[in-house]
Amino acid sequence: MASMLSCVIFPPPPSLIISVMSVVSLVAISGLGISEILGKHLQYSRFWNLNSEKSTRMQIKLSSRTGMLVFYVPAFLSGVASFVLYPNHDLRLFLVKATLTIHFFKRTIEVLFVHKYSTSGVVLDSAILISSSYFSATSSMIHGQYLTQGFPEPQVDLKYPGVLLFLLGISGNLYHHLLLASLRTKSEKEYKIPKGGLFGLVICPHYLFEVLGFIGILFISQTLYPLCFTVGTIVYLMGRSYATRRWYLSKFEDFPKDVKALIPYVF
């Protein structure tokens, strides 16, 4: 296994911070995915108040739009700042900075102009946790890539397949977000069973394409931190999509039982 990874991943950079952050990212984000399956959710979207009865303290609720801006804007600004902090030394570093910045810019634009929101919201604690995760991930990926300058390239170069996967991921993610937005008029707030695209196969195709986008960034980067973050993200989105499917089954008697959570025909 180690020899296979050495063919496709740069040697770990001489940075204790990046090494520790890689392990923390993998364990923490995967743990959140397992918590989703067990019914303890990050409190946003349809799950924003499901844990409230278990809490004995006051919780600060943000609107969905404000909460999601808190999610994504710091990571986007980190990506923008990286073009000043890390001058372009090679194509791979440029692509990592560009794809991360594009990803979070797209999410910010969707929050402002695409999504149509229900009456749910975002609990501040969850917003801070998610924002910190995205910000630290963006900063760590770019810094870790910068530290590989001068290292020999991996034997297998995945950056161009990574660009294609990233473009597929953000395009599919945007398409399914547009489908979700089309379910509601401006005055409608209730949830409906999504239709169109891959919604006939999985309840969270937007998560599936988000995973593909992050795998694309991993392929472009070929470093340790994106590997750990992407694996953790896959586990988290599997857990979140599993919980989402369970929620739809509980709310809609006519929800198709053959629609999976994240991976068509499999999960």
Side-chain angles (χ1 to χ4, degrees), residues 59 114 242:
Q59 293 180 316
V114 174
Y242 176 88

Side-chain angles (χ1 to χ4, degrees), residues 229-251:
F229 178 81
T230 300
V231 172
T233 298
I234 291 171
V235 175
Y236 172 70
L237 292 179
M238 288 180 72
R240 188 76 178 185
S241 62
Y242 176 88
T244 298
R245 181 179 183 273
R246 184 170 57 197
W247 184 88
Y248 273 98
L249 284 169
S250 70
K251 297 294 182 181

